[in-house]
Amino acid sequence: KRPFDVETLLRIQRISEPALSPDGKLVAYTVGTPDLDKNSQSKQIYAVPVAGGAPRLLTRDGSDNQRPRWSPDSKQIYFVSTRGGSSQVWAMEADGSKPRQVTKLATEASGVLVSPDGKKIVFASSVYPECASSSGFDEACNQKNLDADAKAPSKARIYTSLLYRHWTEWQTRRRQHLLVVGITGSGIMDGKSIKDLTPGQHDVPPFSLGGPEGYAISPDSLELG
């Protein structure tokens, strides 16, 4: 018999992010499958009936699909995927059909939440603080800054305050903010401006050592705490 060694442990699939549908019938969750040879882990979303039954694979495109979040009517699932080349919010039917891209931001998107009334989504994005204004979110300004940083001949940085490094990532001019946008019944942005809810030279949520995100939408969908 082969012993349960470190290599065996590393090959085990990881289950995370369980989300119960509002009607109480299904649980959507993320399964991470390690690939030791490539030193990577693919993530796909599954759903399983609460009453029992075989799990069903919902996502097949791309290798990084995660964070399932249900619409209030249990008919749609919002999730974060890199299938389009960058991390964005997507939506699909509860059976995994009709996937469609919701956000298309140069600064990408993560940490999606769906408001209880189903009319908005809140998500995190690493933005340039100077691109936030009272009139909304300036996508062109963020794209301009991204292009300038990519073309900069020197990547050297000067730090005069903490935090300048989080795990393996160096702090840049960008800050993680929480953004909100209205959505239609089909899970597509309703055309209204994206709004930066946490403008300024700070990260929201602040430094975290892991665990659940530090933000939530109130039951009446009017506040974010």
Side-chain angles (χ1 to χ4, degrees):
K1 266 189 173 183
R2 177 172 177 166
F4 190 84
D5 55 14
V6 172
E7 183 174 338
T8 304
L9 175 63
L10 293 175
R11 292 185 183 278
I12 294 177
Q13 290 181 312
R14 271 76 168 169
I15 296 177
S16 61
E17 305 178 316
L20 178 66
S21 61
D23 62 12
K25 295 180 179 180
L26 294 169
V27 175
Y29 58 95
T30 301
V31 176
T33 304
D35 187 327
L36 296 186
D37 295 332
K38 295 181 180 179
N39 191 29
S40 64
Q41 179 179 227
S42 65
K43 293 183 178 180
Q44 302 295 346
I45 297 172
Y46 287 73
V48 64
V50 172
R56 180 174 184 175
L57 176 64
L58 301 183
T59 57
R60 292 177 173 80
D61 294 335
S63 59
D64 192 348
N65 300 283
Q66 57 183 307
R67 195 180 171 83
R69 291 294 184 270
W70 293 90
S71 62
D73 59 7
S74 301
K75 294 181 179 180
Q76 297 179 96
I77 296 175
Y78 292 83
F79 62 104
V80 176
S81 177
T82 60
R83 63 181 63 189
S86 63
S87 178
Q88 302 290 345
V89 178
W90 286 67
M92 61 183 171
E93 300 300 297
D95 60 2
S97 63
K98 300 179 181 179
R100 56 268 188 198
Q101 189 171 344
V102 179
T103 64
K104 297 180 181 179
L105 299 179
T107 52
E108 306 191 22
S110 62
V112 64
L113 291 180
V114 184
S115 63
D117 63 8
K119 296 180 180 180
K120 310 178 191 72
I121 58 170
V122 171
F123 56 93
S125 187
S126 183
V127 305
Y128 292 89
E130 61 267 30
C131 294
S133 67
S134 58
S135 60
F137 177 76
D138 194 335
E139 171 71 356
C141 174
N142 278 281
Q143 184 65 70
K144 181 180 178 180
N145 278 277
L146 284 170
D147 293 340
D149 283 350
K151 295 176 181 178
S154 173
K155 305 302 179 184
R157 305 186 186 97
I158 297 176
Y159 295 95
T160 59
S161 63
L162 296 174
L163 179 71
Y164 60 86
R165 182 181 170 117
H166 186 182
W167 302 129
T168 59
E169 295 182 5
W170 293 96
Q171 180 68 278
T172 67
R173 294 194 297 127
R174 298 162 68 181
R175 297 292 182 268
Q176 179 170 281
H177 287 181
L178 295 180
L179 279 59
V180 62
V181 67
I183 51 176
T184 65
S186 59
I188 303 300
M189 291 198 306
D190 62 8
K192 296 180 181 179
S193 297
I194 297 174
K195 185 175 182 179
D196 189 335
L197 296 174
T198 57
Q201 288 285 349
H202 47 254
D203 289 291
V204 181
F207 176 79
S208 173
L209 294 175
E213 65 274 359
Y215 52 96
I217 303 174
S218 62
D220 61 7
S221 301
L222 298 178
E223 295 183 315
L224 185 73

Short mmCIF file of all heavy atoms in Angstrom, two decimals, residues 56-112:
data_model
loop_
_atom_site.label_atom_id
_atom_site.label_comp_id
_atom_site.label_asym_id
_atom_site.label_seq_id
_atom_site.Cartn_x
_atom_site.Cartn_y
_atom_site.Cartn_z
N ARG A 56 -22.82 18.00 -10.10
CA ARG A 56 -22.86 18.34 -11.52
C ARG A 56 -21.85 19.44 -11.81
O ARG A 56 -21.84 20.48 -11.15
CB ARG A 56 -24.25 18.82 -11.90
CG ARG A 56 -24.39 19.20 -13.38
CD ARG A 56 -25.83 19.51 -13.72
NE ARG A 56 -26.00 19.78 -15.14
CZ ARG A 56 -27.17 19.99 -15.72
NH1 ARG A 56 -28.28 19.92 -15.00
NH2 ARG A 56 -27.25 20.23 -17.02
N LEU A 57 -21.00 19.20 -12.80
CA LEU A 57 -20.02 20.21 -13.22
C LEU A 57 -20.74 21.31 -13.99
O LEU A 57 -21.43 21.05 -14.98
CB LEU A 57 -18.95 19.55 -14.10
CG LEU A 57 -17.91 20.49 -14.71
CD1 LEU A 57 -17.08 21.15 -13.62
CD2 LEU A 57 -17.00 19.72 -15.68
N LEU A 58 -20.58 22.56 -13.54
CA LEU A 58 -21.28 23.69 -14.16
C LEU A 58 -20.39 24.50 -15.11
O LEU A 58 -20.89 25.12 -16.04
CB LEU A 58 -21.84 24.62 -13.09
CG LEU A 58 -22.84 24.02 -12.10
CD1 LEU A 58 -23.35 25.09 -11.14
CD2 LEU A 58 -24.00 23.35 -12.82
N THR A 59 -19.11 24.55 -14.85
CA THR A 59 -18.19 25.34 -15.69
C THR A 59 -17.20 24.42 -16.39
O THR A 59 -16.64 23.51 -15.78
CB THR A 59 -17.41 26.36 -14.85
OG1 THR A 59 -16.70 25.69 -13.80
CG2 THR A 59 -18.36 27.38 -14.23
N ARG A 60 -16.99 24.70 -17.67
CA ARG A 60 -16.07 23.87 -18.45
C ARG A 60 -15.03 24.71 -19.20
O ARG A 60 -13.98 24.20 -19.56
CB ARG A 60 -16.84 23.01 -19.45
CG ARG A 60 -17.69 21.93 -18.79
CD ARG A 60 -18.50 21.13 -19.78
NE ARG A 60 -19.18 20.01 -19.16
CZ ARG A 60 -20.32 20.11 -18.49
NH1 ARG A 60 -20.91 21.28 -18.34
NH2 ARG A 60 -20.87 19.02 -17.95
N ASP A 61 -15.33 25.96 -19.44
CA ASP A 61 -14.39 26.83 -20.15
C ASP A 61 -13.41 27.47 -19.17
O ASP A 61 -13.81 27.92 -18.09
CB ASP A 61 -15.14 27.95 -20.88
CG ASP A 61 -16.02 27.40 -22.00
OD1 ASP A 61 -15.70 26.31 -22.52
OD2 ASP A 61 -17.02 28.06 -22.35
N GLY A 62 -12.13 27.49 -19.56
CA GLY A 62 -11.14 28.11 -18.70
C GLY A 62 -10.72 27.21 -17.56
O GLY A 62 -11.36 26.18 -17.28
N SER A 63 -9.67 27.61 -16.88
CA SER A 63 -9.13 26.79 -15.78
C SER A 63 -9.24 27.49 -14.44
O SER A 63 -8.75 26.98 -13.43
CB SER A 63 -7.65 26.47 -16.05
OG SER A 63 -6.89 27.66 -16.17
N ASP A 64 -9.90 28.65 -14.39
CA ASP A 64 -10.05 29.36 -13.12
C ASP A 64 -11.45 29.94 -13.03
O ASP A 64 -11.72 31.06 -13.45
CB ASP A 64 -9.01 30.47 -13.00
CG ASP A 64 -8.92 31.04 -11.59
OD1 ASP A 64 -9.81 30.74 -10.77
OD2 ASP A 64 -7.97 31.79 -11.30
N ASN A 65 -12.38 29.14 -12.51
CA ASN A 65 -13.76 29.56 -12.28
C ASN A 65 -14.06 29.33 -10.81
O ASN A 65 -13.92 28.21 -10.31
CB ASN A 65 -14.73 28.74 -13.13
CG ASN A 65 -14.47 28.88 -14.62
OD1 ASN A 65 -14.83 29.87 -15.23
ND2 ASN A 65 -13.81 27.89 -15.23
N GLN A 66 -14.48 30.38 -10.12
CA GLN A 66 -14.64 30.25 -8.68
C GLN A 66 -15.65 31.26 -8.13
O GLN A 66 -16.22 32.05 -8.87
CB GLN A 66 -13.29 30.45 -7.98
CG GLN A 66 -12.62 31.77 -8.29
CD GLN A 66 -11.26 31.89 -7.64
OE1 GLN A 66 -11.13 31.71 -6.43
NE2 GLN A 66 -10.24 32.16 -8.44
N ARG A 67 -15.85 31.20 -6.84
CA ARG A 67 -16.73 32.10 -6.07
C ARG A 67 -18.16 32.16 -6.62
O ARG A 67 -18.64 33.20 -7.06
CB ARG A 67 -16.13 33.50 -6.03
CG ARG A 67 -16.77 34.39 -4.96
CD ARG A 67 -16.18 35.78 -4.93
NE ARG A 67 -16.94 36.64 -4.06
CZ ARG A 67 -16.82 36.72 -2.75
NH1 ARG A 67 -15.95 35.96 -2.13
NH2 ARG A 67 -17.56 37.54 -2.04
N PRO A 68 -18.90 31.05 -6.60
CA PRO A 68 -20.30 31.09 -7.04
C PRO A 68 -21.17 31.85 -6.06
O PRO A 68 -21.06 31.68 -4.84
CB PRO A 68 -20.68 29.61 -7.08
CG PRO A 68 -19.78 28.96 -6.07
CD PRO A 68 -18.48 29.71 -6.15
N ARG A 69 -22.03 32.71 -6.61
CA ARG A 69 -22.98 33.46 -5.79
C ARG A 69 -24.33 33.46 -6.50
O ARG A 69 -24.43 33.80 -7.67
CB ARG A 69 -22.51 34.90 -5.57
CG ARG A 69 -21.27 35.01 -4.67
CD ARG A 69 -21.57 34.57 -3.26
NE ARG A 69 -20.45 34.73 -2.35
CZ ARG A 69 -19.51 33.82 -2.11
NH1 ARG A 69 -19.54 32.67 -2.78
NH2 ARG A 69 -18.56 34.05 -1.23
N TRP A 70 -25.40 33.10 -5.79
CA TRP A 70 -26.72 32.91 -6.39
C TRP A 70 -27.48 34.22 -6.54
O TRP A 70 -27.35 35.13 -5.72
CB TRP A 70 -27.56 31.98 -5.51
CG TRP A 70 -27.07 30.57 -5.47
CD1 TRP A 70 -26.18 30.04 -4.57
CD2 TRP A 70 -27.45 29.50 -6.33
NE1 TRP A 70 -25.98 28.71 -4.83
CE2 TRP A 70 -26.74 28.35 -5.90
CE3 TRP A 70 -28.31 29.40 -7.42
CZ2 TRP A 70 -26.88 27.11 -6.53
CZ3 TRP A 70 -28.45 28.16 -8.04
CH2 TRP A 70 -27.73 27.04 -7.60
N SER A 71 -28.32 34.28 -7.56
CA SER A 71 -29.30 35.36 -7.67
C SER A 71 -30.42 35.05 -6.68
O SER A 71 -30.62 33.89 -6.29
CB SER A 71 -29.86 35.44 -9.09
OG SER A 71 -30.53 34.23 -9.44
N PRO A 72 -31.17 36.04 -6.23
CA PRO A 72 -32.22 35.81 -5.22
C PRO A 72 -33.27 34.79 -5.63
O PRO A 72 -33.86 34.13 -4.77
CB PRO A 72 -32.84 37.21 -5.04
CG PRO A 72 -31.75 38.16 -5.41
CD PRO A 72 -31.03 37.48 -6.54
N ASP A 73 -33.52 34.64 -6.94
CA ASP A 73 -34.54 33.69 -7.39
C ASP A 73 -33.98 32.29 -7.65
O ASP A 73 -34.71 31.40 -8.13
CB ASP A 73 -35.24 34.20 -8.65
CG ASP A 73 -34.27 34.43 -9.82
OD1 ASP A 73 -33.08 34.06 -9.69
OD2 ASP A 73 -34.70 34.98 -10.84
N SER A 74 -32.70 32.09 -7.36
CA SER A 74 -32.03 30.78 -7.51
C SER A 74 -31.92 30.32 -8.96
O SER A 74 -31.59 29.17 -9.22
CB SER A 74 -32.76 29.69 -6.70
OG SER A 74 -32.80 30.01 -5.33
N LYS A 75 -32.15 31.22 -9.92
CA LYS A 75 -32.11 30.84 -11.33
C LYS A 75 -30.75 31.09 -11.98
O LYS A 75 -30.46 30.54 -13.05
CB LYS A 75 -33.20 31.57 -12.11
CG LYS A 75 -34.62 31.17 -11.71
CD LYS A 75 -35.65 31.92 -12.54
CE LYS A 75 -37.07 31.49 -12.15
NZ LYS A 75 -38.10 32.21 -12.96
N GLN A 76 -29.93 31.94 -11.37
CA GLN A 76 -28.64 32.28 -11.94
C GLN A 76 -27.53 32.20 -10.90
O GLN A 76 -27.79 32.34 -9.70
CB GLN A 76 -28.67 33.70 -12.51
CG GLN A 76 -29.65 33.88 -13.64
CD GLN A 76 -29.64 35.32 -14.14
OE1 GLN A 76 -28.98 35.65 -15.11
NE2 GLN A 76 -30.38 36.18 -13.47
N ILE A 77 -26.33 31.98 -11.40
CA ILE A 77 -25.15 31.97 -10.54
C ILE A 77 -24.15 32.97 -11.10
O ILE A 77 -23.80 32.91 -12.28
CB ILE A 77 -24.51 30.57 -10.46
CG1 ILE A 77 -25.47 29.57 -9.83
CG2 ILE A 77 -23.20 30.63 -9.66
CD1 ILE A 77 -24.95 28.14 -9.83
N TYR A 78 -23.70 33.87 -10.26
CA TYR A 78 -22.62 34.79 -10.62
C TYR A 78 -21.32 34.18 -10.12
O TYR A 78 -21.28 33.56 -9.05
CB TYR A 78 -22.85 36.17 -9.99
CG TYR A 78 -24.03 36.89 -10.57
CD1 TYR A 78 -25.33 36.63 -10.10
CD2 TYR A 78 -23.88 37.82 -11.58
CE1 TYR A 78 -26.42 37.28 -10.63
CE2 TYR A 78 -24.98 38.48 -12.13
CZ TYR A 78 -26.24 38.19 -11.64
OH TYR A 78 -27.33 38.83 -12.18
N PHE A 79 -20.26 34.37 -10.87
CA PHE A 79 -18.97 33.79 -10.47
C PHE A 79 -17.84 34.61 -11.08
O PHE A 79 -18.06 35.48 -11.92
CB PHE A 79 -18.89 32.33 -10.89
CG PHE A 79 -18.96 32.08 -12.38
CD1 PHE A 79 -17.82 31.76 -13.11
CD2 PHE A 79 -20.18 32.13 -13.06
CE1 PHE A 79 -17.88 31.52 -14.49
CE2 PHE A 79 -20.25 31.89 -14.43
CZ PHE A 79 -19.11 31.58 -15.14
N VAL A 80 -16.63 34.33 -10.63
CA VAL A 80 -15.44 35.01 -11.13
C VAL A 80 -14.66 34.04 -12.00
O VAL A 80 -14.41 32.90 -11.59
CB VAL A 80 -14.57 35.53 -9.97
CG1 VAL A 80 -13.29 36.17 -10.50
CG2 VAL A 80 -15.35 36.54 -9.13
N SER A 81 -14.27 34.48 -13.20
CA SER A 81 -13.57 33.61 -14.13
C SER A 81 -12.52 34.38 -14.91
O SER A 81 -12.67 35.58 -15.17
CB SER A 81 -14.58 32.98 -15.11
OG SER A 81 -13.91 32.18 -16.08
N THR A 82 -11.47 33.67 -15.30
CA THR A 82 -10.42 34.25 -16.15
C THR A 82 -10.52 33.72 -17.57
O THR A 82 -9.59 33.88 -18.36
CB THR A 82 -9.02 33.92 -15.59
OG1 THR A 82 -8.84 32.49 -15.55
CG2 THR A 82 -8.83 34.47 -14.18
N ARG A 83 -11.63 33.11 -17.93
CA ARG A 83 -11.77 32.47 -19.24
C ARG A 83 -11.63 33.45 -20.41
O ARG A 83 -11.29 33.06 -21.51
CB ARG A 83 -13.13 31.76 -19.34
CG ARG A 83 -14.32 32.70 -19.26
CD ARG A 83 -15.64 31.95 -19.35
NE ARG A 83 -15.80 31.02 -18.22
CZ ARG A 83 -16.78 30.12 -18.16
NH1 ARG A 83 -17.67 30.04 -19.14
NH2 ARG A 83 -16.88 29.33 -17.12
N GLY A 84 -11.88 34.72 -20.17
CA GLY A 84 -11.75 35.71 -21.24
C GLY A 84 -10.39 36.35 -21.31
O GLY A 84 -10.18 37.29 -22.08
N GLY A 85 -9.45 35.88 -20.49
CA GLY A 85 -8.10 36.43 -20.50
C GLY A 85 -7.80 37.32 -19.31
O GLY A 85 -6.64 37.69 -19.09
N SER A 86 -8.81 37.68 -18.52
CA SER A 86 -8.61 38.46 -17.31
C SER A 86 -9.71 38.09 -16.31
O SER A 86 -10.74 37.52 -16.68
CB SER A 86 -8.66 39.96 -17.61
OG SER A 86 -9.93 40.34 -18.10
N SER A 87 -9.49 38.41 -15.06
CA SER A 87 -10.44 38.06 -14.02
C SER A 87 -11.65 38.99 -14.08
O SER A 87 -11.52 40.20 -13.86
CB SER A 87 -9.77 38.16 -12.64
OG SER A 87 -10.70 37.88 -11.61
N GLN A 88 -12.83 38.43 -14.38
CA GLN A 88 -14.04 39.22 -14.52
C GLN A 88 -15.22 38.49 -13.89
O GLN A 88 -15.16 37.28 -13.63
CB GLN A 88 -14.35 39.49 -16.00
CG GLN A 88 -13.25 40.19 -16.76
CD GLN A 88 -13.04 41.64 -16.38
OE1 GLN A 88 -13.87 42.25 -15.71
NE2 GLN A 88 -11.92 42.22 -16.81
N VAL A 89 -16.30 39.22 -13.64
CA VAL A 89 -17.54 38.62 -13.14
C VAL A 89 -18.33 38.08 -14.32
O VAL A 89 -18.51 38.78 -15.33
CB VAL A 89 -18.38 39.64 -12.36
CG1 VAL A 89 -19.70 39.01 -11.89
CG2 VAL A 89 -17.61 40.18 -11.15
N TRP A 90 -18.79 36.85 -14.19
CA TRP A 90 -19.62 36.21 -15.21
C TRP A 90 -20.93 35.76 -14.56
O TRP A 90 -21.04 35.72 -13.33
CB TRP A 90 -18.91 34.99 -15.79
CG TRP A 90 -17.78 35.32 -16.73
CD1 TRP A 90 -16.59 35.92 -16.40
CD2 TRP A 90 -17.73 35.09 -18.13
NE1 TRP A 90 -15.81 36.07 -17.52
CE2 TRP A 90 -16.48 35.56 -18.60
CE3 TRP A 90 -18.61 34.51 -19.05
CZ2 TRP A 90 -16.10 35.49 -19.93
CZ3 TRP A 90 -18.24 34.43 -20.38
CH2 TRP A 90 -16.99 34.92 -20.82
N ALA A 91 -21.91 35.41 -15.39
CA ALA A 91 -23.17 34.85 -14.91
C ALA A 91 -23.54 33.66 -15.77
O ALA A 91 -23.15 33.58 -16.94
CB ALA A 91 -24.28 35.90 -14.96
N MET A 92 -24.27 32.72 -15.20
CA MET A 92 -24.75 31.56 -15.94
C MET A 92 -26.05 31.09 -15.33
O MET A 92 -26.41 31.48 -14.20
CB MET A 92 -23.72 30.42 -15.91
CG MET A 92 -23.39 29.90 -14.53
SD MET A 92 -22.11 28.61 -14.57
CE MET A 92 -21.75 28.42 -12.82
N GLU A 93 -26.79 30.28 -16.08
CA GLU A 93 -28.00 29.69 -15.52
C GLU A 93 -27.62 28.68 -14.43
O GLU A 93 -26.47 28.24 -14.34
CB GLU A 93 -28.79 28.99 -16.63
CG GLU A 93 -29.23 29.92 -17.75
CD GLU A 93 -30.11 31.05 -17.26
OE1 GLU A 93 -31.21 30.77 -16.75
OE2 GLU A 93 -29.68 32.22 -17.38
N ALA A 94 -28.57 28.31 -13.61
CA ALA A 94 -28.29 27.42 -12.49
C ALA A 94 -27.78 26.06 -12.92
O ALA A 94 -27.13 25.35 -12.14
CB ALA A 94 -29.54 27.25 -11.62
N ASP A 95 -28.04 25.67 -14.19
CA ASP A 95 -27.55 24.39 -14.68
C ASP A 95 -26.22 24.53 -15.42
O ASP A 95 -25.73 23.57 -16.01
CB ASP A 95 -28.59 23.74 -15.60
CG ASP A 95 -28.92 24.60 -16.82
OD1 ASP A 95 -28.33 25.69 -16.98
OD2 ASP A 95 -29.77 24.17 -17.63
N GLY A 96 -25.65 25.72 -15.41
CA GLY A 96 -24.36 25.95 -16.06
C GLY A 96 -24.46 26.43 -17.50
O GLY A 96 -23.44 26.74 -18.12
N SER A 97 -25.66 26.53 -18.04
CA SER A 97 -25.84 26.95 -19.44
C SER A 97 -25.80 28.48 -19.57
O SER A 97 -25.90 29.20 -18.59
CB SER A 97 -27.15 26.41 -19.99
OG SER A 97 -28.26 26.96 -19.28
N LYS A 98 -25.68 28.94 -20.80
CA LYS A 98 -25.72 30.36 -21.15
C LYS A 98 -24.76 31.24 -20.34
O LYS A 98 -25.17 32.26 -19.76
CB LYS A 98 -27.14 30.90 -21.01
CG LYS A 98 -28.15 30.20 -21.89
CD LYS A 98 -29.54 30.79 -21.68
CE LYS A 98 -30.58 30.08 -22.55
NZ LYS A 98 -31.95 30.62 -22.32
N PRO A 99 -23.48 30.90 -20.27
CA PRO A 99 -22.54 31.78 -19.56
C PRO A 99 -22.37 33.10 -20.31
O PRO A 99 -22.32 33.12 -21.54
CB PRO A 99 -21.24 30.98 -19.56
CG PRO A 99 -21.34 30.07 -20.74
CD PRO A 99 -22.79 29.72 -20.86
N ARG A 100 -22.35 34.21 -19.61
CA ARG A 100 -22.15 35.51 -20.23
C ARG A 100 -21.32 36.39 -19.30
O ARG A 100 -21.43 36.32 -18.08
CB ARG A 100 -23.46 36.20 -20.57
CG ARG A 100 -24.43 36.39 -19.43
CD ARG A 100 -25.40 35.25 -19.30
NE ARG A 100 -26.45 35.49 -18.33
CZ ARG A 100 -27.18 34.49 -17.81
NH1 ARG A 100 -26.97 33.24 -18.16
NH2 ARG A 100 -28.14 34.78 -16.94
N GLN A 101 -20.49 37.21 -19.92
CA GLN A 101 -19.60 38.08 -19.17
C GLN A 101 -20.36 39.31 -18.68
O GLN A 101 -21.07 39.96 -19.43
CB GLN A 101 -18.42 38.50 -20.05
CG GLN A 101 -17.33 39.23 -19.30
CD GLN A 101 -16.08 39.43 -20.15
OE1 GLN A 101 -15.91 38.78 -21.18
NE2 GLN A 101 -15.20 40.32 -19.72
N VAL A 102 -20.19 39.64 -17.40
CA VAL A 102 -20.90 40.77 -16.80
C VAL A 102 -20.01 42.01 -16.78
O VAL A 102 -20.40 43.07 -17.22
CB VAL A 102 -21.37 40.43 -15.37
CG1 VAL A 102 -22.09 41.62 -14.75
CG2 VAL A 102 -22.29 39.20 -15.40
N THR A 103 -18.80 41.89 -16.24
CA THR A 103 -17.88 43.03 -16.19
C THR A 103 -16.82 42.91 -17.27
O THR A 103 -16.44 41.81 -17.68
CB THR A 103 -17.19 43.13 -14.82
OG1 THR A 103 -16.37 41.97 -14.61
CG2 THR A 103 -18.22 43.24 -13.70
N LYS A 104 -16.33 44.05 -17.71
CA LYS A 104 -15.25 44.10 -18.70
C LYS A 104 -14.32 45.24 -18.34
O LYS A 104 -14.23 46.25 -19.03
CB LYS A 104 -15.81 44.29 -20.11
CG LYS A 104 -16.69 43.14 -20.58
CD LYS A 104 -17.24 43.39 -21.99
CE LYS A 104 -18.14 42.25 -22.43
NZ LYS A 104 -18.70 42.47 -23.79
N LEU A 105 -13.64 45.10 -17.21
CA LEU A 105 -12.80 46.16 -16.67
C LEU A 105 -11.32 45.88 -16.91
O LEU A 105 -10.86 44.75 -16.72
CB LEU A 105 -13.03 46.33 -15.18
CG LEU A 105 -14.45 46.72 -14.73
CD1 LEU A 105 -14.50 46.82 -13.23
CD2 LEU A 105 -14.88 48.01 -15.38
N ALA A 106 -10.58 46.91 -17.28
CA ALA A 106 -9.14 46.76 -17.45
C ALA A 106 -8.47 46.40 -16.14
O ALA A 106 -7.45 45.70 -16.11
CB ALA A 106 -8.56 48.06 -18.01
N THR A 107 -9.04 46.87 -15.02
CA THR A 107 -8.47 46.60 -13.70
C THR A 107 -8.98 45.29 -13.11
O THR A 107 -8.66 44.95 -11.97
CB THR A 107 -8.81 47.75 -12.74
OG1 THR A 107 -10.22 48.01 -12.78
CG2 THR A 107 -8.06 49.02 -13.14
N GLU A 108 -9.80 44.56 -13.87
CA GLU A 108 -10.32 43.24 -13.51
C GLU A 108 -11.28 43.31 -12.32
O GLU A 108 -11.50 44.37 -11.75
CB GLU A 108 -9.17 42.26 -13.28
CG GLU A 108 -8.20 42.19 -14.45
CD GLU A 108 -7.22 41.03 -14.37
OE1 GLU A 108 -7.50 40.05 -13.67
OE2 GLU A 108 -6.16 41.11 -15.02
N ALA A 109 -11.85 42.16 -11.96
CA ALA A 109 -12.86 42.11 -10.90
C ALA A 109 -12.75 40.81 -10.12
O ALA A 109 -12.36 39.77 -10.67
CB ALA A 109 -14.26 42.25 -11.50
N SER A 110 -13.11 40.86 -8.85
CA SER A 110 -13.09 39.68 -7.99
C SER A 110 -14.07 39.91 -6.84
O SER A 110 -14.72 40.96 -6.76
CB SER A 110 -11.68 39.43 -7.44
OG SER A 110 -11.26 40.52 -6.63
N GLY A 111 -14.20 38.92 -5.95
CA GLY A 111 -14.98 39.09 -4.74
C GLY A 111 -16.42 39.52 -4.93
O GLY A 111 -16.93 40.35 -4.17
N VAL A 112 -17.11 38.95 -5.91
CA VAL A 112 -18.47 39.41 -6.24
C VAL A 112 -19.49 39.05 -5.16
O VAL A 112 -19.44 37.98 -4.56
CB VAL A 112 -18.91 38.85 -7.60
CG1 VAL A 112 -19.01 37.33 -7.57
CG2 VAL A 112 -20.23 39.46 -8.04
#
